Amino acid sequence: MNGMDVNSAQVWEAAHSLEQSWQDAAQRWQDVTAAEFEVQHWLPLATTTAAYLDAARTLEDVLALIRQLTLEAG
Amino acid sequence: MTAVHADLEAIKLLRAALLTFAGRVQAALPDSEFIVARATATLDSLEERTRRRVDILTQQLYDCHAAAINGYAVDCYSIQQALWHAEQHLVQILHVRRRFEQAVELWRSRKYALEHALDNDLSAGVSFLDHRITALESYYATTLAGAARDLGASGVPWLMPAAIGALRLAVGRGRQALGRTGEEIAAAVLSRHFDLEEVPFTQPAHGFDRVFRAPGLPLIVVESKASHDGKLRMGQTAAGEQGSPDWVAQAAADMVDPTSAQWSPANERIGRLVQELGPENVPVLAVVTDYQQATAAVYARQPDGVWQVVEADIDLHALTGEMTTETAVASAQSAAATPLPSPWSEQGATLPAERREGAPGGTERRG
């Protein structure tokens, strides 16, 4: 655990929860405005969030290496 | 005819979920910066210690070789080995530092993108849902057959007759539906008749109805009122009369308070702007919609508290004619089917890259 993974988990859980809300809403909202919302607002937000989580995962890996270096240095 | 197939409660829940998401992410991101700063300090310390050890061992090896040259029986091998290990460790640290800097640069750019999305795009999404909620509330209030066709477009501003009908029939059926429809009409009047530009923000339960801007005026607060006789009646609140500087100041204070229900990233920006300008310097307009006569009047609050008429008897039906072209654009949208899985979902991860990344396309993105 390096703290970053905890924060990423918070963002991931928030994203997952929102994803559930969107899926629920999409089942009950299927007119043209739903498609407009999906393309103009939902997909850009989801894509940006996914890209952030991907970069956070890469950073978590490097933070784990730093922790290992610290342990080796005593 | 475009089918209206939407559950009002589902859209309201989605709106609430978007704001919750923004709050949770906004809370997590600053902590991450602290972790990056701490890791940077750790690397600095590691590198400094290792460089110092390399320097010390180098000096020891130099002294050892000097002693050997002078005929002393010394074994320099262990020092040489320790120096080699220290140098390898330094190389490893520098390698990790390079990877760390690259990872931080990428992470930070995407963090800024996410913050920007929360600050701007998400607010626009919430505004979109607000318009949709208003349109559906109007639809349910009126049960006008004609509204069903036009509600497929996007919202009330595109169909003034239905909106006026909604106002008339919403009287007594719920203040929220009445208020939202009145706000939509006010927004249409100001943007179309006065060329003001609406500033997107997350509408709080209590506070500003709408916010606009114009050249030279970064912020104009708008209160909308629906009336059966066209008369302006501003409400009294604990902070003072609606539209007064005290009332503006209180609304701004709530918008910048993260613990307030009126807080959102976009609202905080507007609240801070109000505080910078000074609440007494923020122009406040009131738009009164007379749903019996289908007219609107715009008032401006004067420094002495008097509401002065800017323009009265604005014909809302005439305004409809200016909006028909937008209706045509909106109705060109194709019908929705099954929603695309989001990029972060398991289904989304299996999508081809061009459907997961980059700027979203149009309706051709649907399967």
Side-chain angles (χ1 to χ4, degrees), chain B residues 156-179:
Chain B
V156 172
W158 285 269
L159 49 140
M160 193 63 78
I164 295 164
L167 268 182
R168 288 172 181 158
L169 290 168
V171 175
R173 294 195 185 191
R175 293 181 61 82
Q176 202 176 20
L178 186 68

Side-chain angles (χ1 to χ4, degrees), chain B residues 76-131:
Chain B
C76 301
Y77 180 73
S78 60
I79 300 173
Q80 201 166 356
Q81 281 294 100
L83 177 60
W84 185 82
H85 281 300
E87 285 174 339
Q88 289 302 308
H89 193 54
L90 182 59
V91 168
Q92 202 178 359
I93 289 168
L94 294 176
H95 175 69
V96 170
R97 179 185 279 281
R98 214 166 27 249
R99 282 186 61 183
F100 175 68
E101 287 168 351
Q102 288 168 350
V104 167
E105 190 180 347
L106 178 68
W107 170 78
R108 206 163 263 154
S109 72
R110 291 187 177 176
K111 181 172 81 80
Y112 289 151
L114 181 56
E115 285 172 336
H116 183 269
L118 294 180
D119 209 24
N120 297 284
D121 304 340
L122 189 133
S123 294
V126 170
S127 292
F128 183 99
L129 294 180
D130 282 338
H131 289 175

Side-chain angles (χ1 to χ4, degrees), chain A residues 27-47:
Chain A
Q27 293 296 318
R28 296 150 65 190
W29 179 26
Q30 296 184 355
D31 57 19
V32 291
T33 57
E36 194 181 331
F37 177 81
E38 182 180 26
V39 170
Q40 290 184 2
H41 302 289
W42 173 253
L43 283 176
L45 179 64
T47 304

Side-chain angles (χ1 to χ4, degrees), chain B residues 17-66:
Chain B
L18 279 169
L19 292 176
T20 302
F21 171 75
R24 291 175 69 182
V25 174
Q26 290 276 4
L29 293 182
D31 284 350
S32 303
E33 277 293 354
F34 172 73
I35 292 159
V36 167
R38 199 173 54 193
T40 304
T42 302
L43 272 178
D44 288 346
S45 169
L46 271 175
E47 185 180 335
E48 188 188 338
R49 277 164 53 194
T50 310
R51 282 189 186 280
R52 200 163 53 234
R53 180 162 169 73
V54 167
D55 289 345
I56 291 169
L57 288 169
T58 302
Q59 185 60 47
Q60 285 178 356
L61 188 61
Y62 176 81
D63 293 343
C64 186
H65 284 160

